[in-house]
Amino acid sequence: MPGEPPRTDAPAIEVHDLTVAYRTKPVLWDIDVALPEGRLIAIVGPNGAGKSTLLKAILGLVPAVTGWVKVFGEPYEKRRSWVGYVPQRESVDWDFPTTALDVVTMGLYGRLGWFRRPNATHRDLARAALDQVGVADLADRQISQLSGGQQQRVFLARALAQDARLYLMDEPFAGIDVTTERAVLGLLQGLRDRGRTVVAVHHDLQTVADYFDHVVLLNMHLVDSGPVETTFTKDNLTRTYGGRLTALSNAAEALLERRPSRPKG
Amino acid sequence: MNPTVVILLVGSCVAASCALVGAFLVLRRMALLGDAISHAVLPGIVIAFLWFGSRSTWPMVLGAAATGVLTVFLIDLLTRTRRVRSDAAIGVVFPGLFAVGVILAHRFAANIDLDPECVLYGEIALAPFTDLVIFGVDLGPRALWVSAVILAIDLVVVLALYKEFELTSFDPALATALGFSPVLVHYVLMSLVSVTVVGSFEAVGAILVVAMLIVPPATAYLLVDRLAPMLALSVAIGVADACLGYGIAYHYNASIAGGMATATGIVFVIAWIASPRHGLLRQFLGHRRLRRSFDAQIVLLHLKDRTLPMSRDNLARRFGWSHTRIDHAIATLRTDGAVDGDDAALRITSVGERALEAAGTAPLAHEALP
């Protein structure tokens, strides 16, 4: 594994005046946000709010109409090796003829560059990453034979193998069982405790305050961004979800009451 | 060289190179793009032929590769407008280009030895009779050289870019994030497909080449679960199809291209039925075994909750089962020692009770019984 990357004083992610459109339909409008290093950060907002698009724009997967993104003070292209990406589970074909170990090894391809092939060392790294997420025994399984939770773990292992400083995850908690959810949360907190930054698109408002340190509230526009304690408020949630929040506001209130008992991470 | 040997070698090289690049078309769900390219390269071949004024191979291969890439580019262009879906875009682009090729060939090249029939249907039977001559040295059959060189190109590129092909096929978003350009890799693959398709025209022609591109990889996909074995098996199946196809054509004194395409179909159907993992037979047997074990369990459950024994006929009536079905279930249970008594008075044994407990099945509630 490469050593600790040199420190920078720049925020993990800095987004300035970012507007993204699919054809003529804008998805993100003039987003200005800076995300601090070493935090667990949730991106929250209703369907179609542009949450995934924001991640993809940071990674350069979708072009920006205007604005720029910097990762640790530099354009993403210069920081690729610092960033690990966990796409939505449904974004790939799980019937592809490949094994869990092969998929995790793909996380190391960026380090290899063009033409070079992975060798035994890389496969050992991949195996160690699978071990970290608790599915080392499934290394040689064809990926369609894995359960949803196991597939999510394989995706996480692939990101871990990248040994990145910033992780961008598209709904890492979607469609997994309670055991896996706890395991995934443990992993993310472990990363945060080692000074890594995790930015995750998150759907479950009930768990935002328990799982994350920092929240970005998004609904095409940036509603607010900041520490969960001060930003994840009923007022902000109403502004993010509009009238649709009635059912959810009770949940938010319950959380605000519960927060004082939450141990500080 | 013996003509039969030449035909078999050319056919094998063509089949191997088609299977190798075709495997990635299958995995990327772009099988029809192979069909499109195989037709749309015609104008490229004719223009190269007219430009260089000869039927020498390499200008034609390059002309075809250029048109192949143009085809893919035009299809992408149409798809990106989002007003034309990708299947419709394929349907718009390739007949258009192919038609231009047909007109060019008939108008300018018909009388000078470029036979559209030959491009469409292939004429591998003629392969042994045209030799490659360089500086007056006869190097043997030209078709064999061409197909071997194309196979070598495919092998070198696929081996060199194996990791890139794998990553961009499985997860293009990650590939982009890691700095590998899926678009670049896509065009490299499409250039390979174009070159390969032209090389195979002499063997099987533009219409049937798609069978060589798609069917052997689709067959291998049914049989193995990893990429490298799938590529190797695709190539092996392709070669076997070519040889089997020649045998069929020889036996029935029919078109060799037709024989080869038929062979790919036969081998595919065999794999589809008999594949040990995903085959129809396996599915059928699996379903049957599952159903029988359910049947046996249901009978056990009913016997368990009765103080009095039940008869076979009574059970069959209760479930609405045929006599064969109830007899199967009873026979299975007797073999396991889970029931005893004759057909008129069946009773669950202690073995049967333990089996039910082990299966974790909750006993049926009495009110649920008819």
Side-chain angles (χ1 to χ4, degrees):
Chain A
M1 297 242 172
E4 263 319 283
R7 314 298 303 180
T8 55
D9 292 328
I13 297 172
E14 193 183 351
V15 177
H16 185 68
D17 279 350
L18 181 76
T19 296
V20 176
Y22 288 126
R23 314 243 347 110
T24 53
K25 191 169 158 254
V27 186
L28 290 173
W29 265 115
D30 200 31
I31 306 289
D32 261 297
V33 69
L35 300 177
E37 187 171 5
R39 298 297 180 88
L40 270 179
I41 302 163
I43 301 179
V44 173
N47 288 332
K51 304 184 294 290
S52 298
T53 307
L54 179 58
L55 283 196
K56 287 178 183 160
I58 294 168
L59 290 159
L61 298 179
V62 295
V65 179
T66 58
W68 47 256
V69 175
K70 280 187 176 171
V71 178
F72 298 109
E74 294 284 345
Y76 172 73
E77 288 68 33
K78 286 197 176 172
R79 293 289 194 228
R80 278 186 210 288
S81 60
W82 294 23
V83 181
Y85 175 43
V86 182
Q88 279 184 33
R89 198 148 44 81
E90 307 81 61
S91 68
V92 303
D93 171 16
W94 291 95
D95 286 325
F96 199 85
T98 190
T99 62
L101 188 68
D102 290 341
V103 171
V104 176
T105 310
M106 289 179 199
L108 300 163
Y109 285 5
R111 197 181 298 177
L112 285 164
W114 289 85
F115 302 113
R116 270 182 64 206
R117 298 278 285 274
N119 57 31
T121 320
H122 300 106
R123 270 184 291 277
D124 286 345
L125 285 174
R127 224 176 271 279
L130 277 174
D131 196 33
Q132 251 181 296
V133 300
V135 289
D137 51 323
L138 304 177
D140 298 320
R141 281 276 181 90
Q142 203 262 322
I143 53 174
S144 65
Q145 292 162 13
L146 303 173
S147 72
Q150 289 165 344
Q151 291 176 344
Q152 190 63 49
R153 286 174 194 240
V154 168
F155 257 23
L156 280 170
R158 184 173 74 174
L160 291 180
Q162 277 180 263
D163 193 28
R165 198 164 148 187
L166 166 66
Y167 290 94
L168 301 178
M169 305 187 177
D170 207 340
E171 301 202 20
F173 294 105
I176 56 179
D177 54 273
V178 183
T179 328
T180 311
E181 178 150 344
R182 242 173 252 140
V184 169
L185 179 64
L187 272 167
L188 301 196
Q189 287 170 336
L191 286 169
R192 188 255 328 266
D193 296 344
R194 278 176 287 151
R196 313 300 164 92
T197 311
V198 178
V199 180
V201 171
H202 195 60
H203 255 308
D204 183 7
L205 288 178
Q206 313 235 13
T207 53
V208 169
D210 281 343
Y211 288 5
F212 294 92
D213 311 320
H214 196 101
V215 65
V216 176
L217 294 163
L218 197 68
N219 190 355
M220 293 176 75
H221 299 266
L222 179 73
V223 177
D224 201 356
S225 161
V228 168
E229 288 76 11
T230 51
T231 311
F232 195 66
T233 59
K234 190 180 170 189
D235 193 35
N236 268 341
L237 282 173
T238 316
R239 282 168 60 209
T240 312
Y241 287 84
R244 278 169 288 172
L245 196 66
T246 30
L248 302 165
S249 63
N250 297 336
E253 252 168 81
L255 284 169
L256 291 167
E257 283 160 23
R258 193 146 51 110
R259 187 163 311 125
S261 65
R262 176 179 166 246
K264 270 312 288 173
Chain B
M1 227 187 280
N2 179 328
T4 303
V5 174
V6 173
I7 290 172
L8 284 177
L9 282 176
V10 172
S12 298
C13 284
V14 164
S17 36
C18 282
L20 194 58
V21 296
F24 289 102
L25 291 178
V26 170
L27 289 177
R28 289 164 174 249
R29 303 171 184 225
M30 293 176 175
L32 282 181
L33 210 49
D35 197 19
I37 291 177
S38 70
H39 286 73
V41 294
L42 187 61
I45 296 176
V46 180
I47 290 168
F49 172 71
L50 294 171
W51 193 282
F52 292 94
S54 75
R55 234 183 75 175
S56 60
T57 308
W58 298 110
M60 284 204 209
V61 169
L62 287 180
T67 344
V69 171
L70 176 72
T71 311
V72 175
F73 175 76
L74 290 176
I75 291 170
D76 281 350
L77 200 68
L78 281 181
T79 312
R80 241 180 296 140
T81 65
R82 302 220 177 183
R83 304 302 307 161
V84 186
R85 289 177 193 280
S86 71
D87 55 339
I90 290 176
V92 169
V93 171
F94 95 78
L97 285 172
F98 184 67
V100 171
V102 170
I103 291 174
L104 285 177
H106 277 282
R107 180 70 184 79
F108 299 109
N111 51 350
I112 27 176
D113 201 26
L114 184 81
D115 184 0
E117 290 266 306
C118 187
V119 172
L120 284 182
Y121 301 113
E123 210 28 282
I124 197 173
L126 300 177
F129 308 111
T130 317
D131 281 3
L132 179 68
V133 182
I134 295 177
F135 302 124
V137 186
D138 186 338
L139 294 171
R142 196 178 59 93
L144 186 54
W145 279 99
V146 173
S147 54
V149 168
I150 288 174
L151 175 59
I153 294 172
D154 287 341
L155 270 174
V156 167
V157 177
V158 169
L159 285 177
L161 289 174
Y162 175 83
K163 163 174 123 267
E164 287 75 8
F165 279 166
E166 176 199 30
L167 179 62
T168 53
S169 303
F170 176 64
D171 194 342
L174 182 74
T176 314
L178 292 177
F180 299 97
S181 162
V183 177
L184 181 63
V185 175
H186 179 63
Y187 276 98
V188 170
L189 179 62
M190 292 306 142
S191 311
L192 275 193
V193 172
S194 309
V195 168
T196 305
V197 158
V198 193
S200 52
F201 275 181
E202 293 201 58
V204 291
I207 294 177
L208 292 179
V209 66
V210 80
M212 304 302 261
L213 277 174
I214 304 308
V215 188
T219 312
Y221 182 78
L222 293 173
L223 297 170
V224 289
D225 276 346
R226 292 192 70 185
L227 181 57
M230 181 186 153
L231 293 182
L233 190 61
S234 302
V235 169
I237 289 173
V239 171
D241 287 343
C243 297
L244 177 65
Y246 180 74
I248 292 171
Y250 186 82
H251 186 79
Y252 293 102
N253 193 20
S255 142
I256 297 173
M260 287 181 178
T262 308
T264 64
I266 292 171
V267 173
F268 176 83
V269 170
I270 292 172
W272 185 49
I273 292 172
S275 161
R277 286 166 211 235
H278 313 291
L280 281 186
L281 213 57
R282 171 68 196 265
Q283 265 178 31
F284 174 73
L285 293 176
H287 280 174
R288 200 174 63 173
R289 196 168 12 169
L290 208 60
R291 203 198 68 200
R292 285 193 176 165
S293 100
F294 280 145
D295 283 1
Q297 241 177 51
I298 288 170
V299 170
L300 267 192
L301 272 172
H302 272 76
L303 293 179
K304 183 182 162 154
D305 291 344
R306 300 280 150 157
T307 40
L308 294 173
M310 285 177 83
S311 74
R312 156 189 178 267
D313 294 341
N314 193 350
L315 283 166
R317 238 191 339 272
R318 213 164 256 270
F319 301 141
W321 286 357
S322 68
H323 285 166
T324 334
R325 190 164 169 193
I326 188 75
D327 287 345
H328 251 302
I330 292 172
T332 313
L333 290 167
R334 281 215 175 98
T335 319
D336 297 346
V339 297
D340 60 13
D342 59 20
D343 278 358
L346 290 160
R347 218 186 263 282
I348 188 166
T349 65
S350 56
V351 175
E353 304 223 1
R354 275 202 301 278
L356 266 186
E357 269 166 44
T361 326
L364 285 182
H366 272 286
E367 53 269 35
L369 291 174

